[in-house]
């Protein structure tokens, strides 16, 4: 069995929207991830510059895919359902050639030989996989790989539902919905069992002992059978201790120690100076900007908002590539594009739309998405399948499906099992989409 884990892949839903404050160029390169063509797969990389919309991409033909999605490297062959498939490079693509394999019974002649799991493991064969033991389960028509036991750090095998003691710890192999997990509990020593002596936290701290850990004070809480370390107070830069729920003033700042779900956090607020208390003079934002002062910050204009007791920097407008200022809630046209400055929860974002040409407006011809994709055209981008939606006056690109590592397509809101043991789910999010990866449960 296994320790459950999840992997998420994300990509923005609308590439025509530029959000946030950082529009630096970036490269999205997925080494080992492949794009699905008609019957072939390619390695895919893309470089994108959000500032001017320029991009370039490159591919490398890697392998073919059989009807059952078995991957065959260029120049190699494999047998599937009585047919022998060969992968032949064909220019920038790959061609899948097939012929009858006379060594395997044809349709109508039932084979009694079990399939190989993943093309290499026999039925009943056991496989070491990190902290778990897996076993191949196959028939003449299907196969799967299941977790049958856990493995301790000392390589001791534990069957599901059983436990074992090793180096002062008890390890339990517990069945879960998606497979299995290992539960570890420190064993009390003979002395602890006889005297009720508490365990040492982390092997060195006694029950009730407190110690510094960065900006916090932690305390050991232990019994003869268990232990934990909890945050009990915060520490200021001047090493002043603040109990959770309390505050202290130091060097012109007020520090509050606030309890959180995972422990605690320190909240810092500047205190008004003596000059501010007597004259009502507003503070400097970030130590240099006066109240009402505006300044450029990348693709945005920020303004200092301050009082005698507090200050903040807020985005008040956007800036186009041609340095034209656009107030929040307004728009402007520049070099064939319309730029809209839209208020968000964290500030503002710039939304860019290509303006329709006179030809588009007069003929009703839809625009090309990103200058290359037609309305309704689908294309792959990393771990996602995207689709162009356009009219004569606007266009956008949206994620419509996710792609698994074997490049199988999963529509938004759906899931699929790949390789007999991994379930992939394509989930719609506010940012676009994400792909969830988890072990599938068997039986």
């Amino acid at each position: 069995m296994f320790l459950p884990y999840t992997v998420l892949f994300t990509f923005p839903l609308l590439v025509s929207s530029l959000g946030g404050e950082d529009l630096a160029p970036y490269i999205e390169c997925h080494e080992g991830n492949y794009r699905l063509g008609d019957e072939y797969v390619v390695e895919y990389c893309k470089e994108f510059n959000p500032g001017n919309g320029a991009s370039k991409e490159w591919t490398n033909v890697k392998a073919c895919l059989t009807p059952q999605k078995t991957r065959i490297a260029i120049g190699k062959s494999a047998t599937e359902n009585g047919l022998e498939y060969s992968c032949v490079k064909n220019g920038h693509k790959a061609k899948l050639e097939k012929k009858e394999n006379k060594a395997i019974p044809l349709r109508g002649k039932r084979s009694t030989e079990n399939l190989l799991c993943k093309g290499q493991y026999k039925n009943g064969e056991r496989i070491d996989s990190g902290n778990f033991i897996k076993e191949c389960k196959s028939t003449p028509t299907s196969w799967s790989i299941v977790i049958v036991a856990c493995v301790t750090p000392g390589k001791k095998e534990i069957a599901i539902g059983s436990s074992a003691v090793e180096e002062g710890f008890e390890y339990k192999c517990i069945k879960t919905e998606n497979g299995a997990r290992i539960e570890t509990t420190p064993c009390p020593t003979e002395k602890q069992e006889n005297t009720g002596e508490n365990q040492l936290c982390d092997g060195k701290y006694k029950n009730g002992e407190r110690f510094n850990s960065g900006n916090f004070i932690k305390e050991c809480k232990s019994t003869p059978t268990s232990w934990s370390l909890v945050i009990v107070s915060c520490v200021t830069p001047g090493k002043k201790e603040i109990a959770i729920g309390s505050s202290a003033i130091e060097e012109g700042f007020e520090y509050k120690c606030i309890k959180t779900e995972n422990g605690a956090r320190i909240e810092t607020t500047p205190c008004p100076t003596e000059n501010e208390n007597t004259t009502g003079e507003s503070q400097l934002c970030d130590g240099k900007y006066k109240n009402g002062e505006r300044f450029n910050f990348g693709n945005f204009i920020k303004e200092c908002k301050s009082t005698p007791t507090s200050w903040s920097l807020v985005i008040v407008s956007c800036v186009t590539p041609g340095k034209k200022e656009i107030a929040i809630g307004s728009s402007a046209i520049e070099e064939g594009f319309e730029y809209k400055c839209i208020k968000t929860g964290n500030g503002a974002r710039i939304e860019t739309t290509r303006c329709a040409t006179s030809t588009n407006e007069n003929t009703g011809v839809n625009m090309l998405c990103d200058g290359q994709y037609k309305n309704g055209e689908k294309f792959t981008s990393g771990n996602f399948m995207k689709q162009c939606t356009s009219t004569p006056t606007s266009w956008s690109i949206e994620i419509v499906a996710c792609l698994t590592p074997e490049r199988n397509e999963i529509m938004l809101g759906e899931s699929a099992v790949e390789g007999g043991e991994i379930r992939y789910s394509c989930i719609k999010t506010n940012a676009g989409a994400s792909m969830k990866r988890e072990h599938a449960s068997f039986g």
Side-chain angles (χ1 to χ4, degrees):
M1 299 302 221
F2 55 92
L3 293 171
Y5 61 94
T6 300
V7 178
L8 295 176
F9 305 90
T10 62
F11 198 90
L13 180 62
L14 297 176
V15 301
S16 58
S17 294
L18 301 178
E21 302 175 3
D22 186 4
L23 296 177
Y26 65 90
I27 295 177
E28 184 183 68
C29 192
H30 302 277
E31 183 177 357
N33 291 333
Y34 299 94
R35 185 176 65 189
L36 176 64
D38 293 332
E39 291 183 311
Y40 63 95
V41 292
V42 296
E43 189 176 41
Y44 174 85
C45 283
K46 182 175 182 179
E47 181 178 356
F48 182 67
N49 187 332
N52 58 23
S55 66
K56 64 178 180 179
E57 60 183 58
W58 56 95
T59 59
N60 183 30
V61 179
K62 301 292 290 187
C64 300
L65 291 177
T66 69
Q68 298 299 318
K69 306 305 180 185
T70 300
R71 180 176 159 171
I72 307 174
I74 297 290
K76 302 294 182 179
S77 61
T79 299
E80 185 178 275
N81 294 334
L83 296 175
E84 182 178 354
Y85 292 91
S86 300
C87 185
V88 180
K89 189 169 183 179
N90 183 20
H92 295 293
K93 299 183 179 181
K95 182 179 181 182
L96 188 66
E97 297 182 343
K98 60 183 178 181
K99 63 180 180 178
E100 180 181 312
N101 189 333
K102 297 181 179 179
I104 295 180
L106 302 177
R107 185 179 299 177
K109 296 182 180 180
R110 186 178 181 83
S111 173
T112 58
E113 184 178 347
N114 291 333
L115 296 172
L116 294 177
C117 293
K118 284 192 174 181
Q120 56 181 318
Y121 302 110
K122 296 180 181 179
N123 181 43
E125 186 173 351
R126 293 157 66 91
I127 310 152
D128 284 306
S129 181
N131 295 311
F132 304 95
I133 299 292
K134 297 181 178 181
E135 185 175 321
C136 170
K137 304 284 189 181
S138 69
T139 68
T141 59
S142 66
W143 63 266
S144 65
I145 294 178
V146 298
I147 297 174
V148 293
C150 303
V151 180
T152 68
K155 306 304 180 183
K156 184 181 292 185
E157 185 177 326
I158 313 170
I160 291 178
S162 301
S163 63
V165 174
E166 180 180 278
E167 298 292 333
F169 289 86
E170 181 183 19
Y171 296 88
K172 293 181 180 179
C173 189
I174 301 172
K175 183 175 179 65
T176 67
E177 181 181 355
N178 296 320
R181 63 183 174 86
I182 303 176
E183 188 176 274
T184 308
T185 308
C187 301
T189 63
E190 183 178 350
K191 180 180 179 181
Q192 289 169 336
E193 290 176 332
N194 294 332
T195 65
E197 181 181 343
N198 292 332
Q199 295 189 33
L200 293 177
C201 293
D202 207 19
K204 54 185 175 182
Y205 302 108
K206 295 180 181 179
N207 181 43
E209 185 174 354
R210 291 153 63 98
F211 60 95
N212 281 79
S213 178
N215 295 310
F216 303 96
I217 300 291
K218 292 185 177 181
E219 184 176 325
C220 170
K221 305 283 188 180
S222 69
T223 69
T225 58
S226 65
W227 63 265
S228 63
L229 293 172
V230 297
I231 295 175
V232 292
S233 58
C234 304
V235 180
T236 68
K239 305 305 180 184
K240 184 180 292 185
E241 184 177 339
I242 313 169
I244 289 179
S246 302
S247 64
I249 293 176
E250 179 181 279
E251 298 292 334
F253 288 88
E254 181 182 17
Y255 296 89
K256 292 182 181 179
C257 189
I258 301 171
K259 184 175 180 64
T260 67
E261 183 179 351
N262 298 318
R265 64 182 174 85
I266 302 176
E267 188 176 273
T268 308
T269 307
C271 300
T273 63
E274 182 179 350
N275 178 59
E276 289 164 347
N277 285 329
T278 57
T279 67
E281 182 180 344
S282 295
Q283 295 187 31
L284 293 177
C285 294
D286 206 19
K288 54 185 175 181
Y289 302 107
K290 295 180 180 180
N291 182 43
E293 186 174 353
R294 293 154 60 98
F295 59 95
N296 281 77
F297 187 83
N299 294 296
F300 304 93
I301 299 290
K302 287 189 173 183
E303 183 175 325
C304 170
K305 305 282 189 181
S306 69
T307 69
T309 59
S310 66
W311 62 265
S312 64
L313 293 171
V314 297
I315 295 175
V316 293
S317 58
C318 304
V319 179
T320 68
K323 307 305 180 184
K324 184 181 293 184
E325 185 177 339
I326 313 170
I328 290 179
S330 301
S331 64
I333 293 176
E334 180 180 278
E335 298 292 333
F337 287 86
E338 180 182 18
Y339 297 89
K340 293 181 180 178
C341 189
I342 300 172
K343 184 175 181 62
T344 66
N346 298 321
R349 65 182 173 87
I350 303 174
E351 187 175 275
T352 309
T353 307
R354 188 187 298 271
C355 298
T357 64
S358 57
T359 300
N360 291 125
E361 294 170 337
N362 294 333
T363 66
V365 176
N366 291 336
M367 297 174 66
L368 294 177
C369 293
D370 205 19
Q372 56 183 316
Y373 303 108
K374 296 180 180 179
N375 180 43
E377 185 176 354
K378 293 183 179 181
F379 61 97
T380 55
S381 178
N383 294 303
F384 302 97
M385 178 71 71
K386 296 183 177 182
Q387 184 172 359
C388 166
T389 301
S390 67
T391 69
T393 59
S394 66
W395 62 266
S396 66
I397 295 175
E398 300 182 2
I399 296 174
V400 294
C402 302
L403 296 175
T404 68
E406 294 297 332
R407 316 319 285 169
N408 293 320
E409 186 177 327
I410 307 173
M411 302 304 293
L412 284 173
E414 298 182 359
S415 62
V417 175
E418 184 171 272
E421 57 179 327
I422 304 296
R423 176 182 288 107
Y424 294 91
S425 301
C426 190
I427 303 168
K428 186 176 177 117
T429 66
N430 291 333
S434 65
M435 187 161 63
K436 182 179 181 182
R437 180 184 186 274
E438 59 188 353
H439 279 267
S441 60
F442 302 104

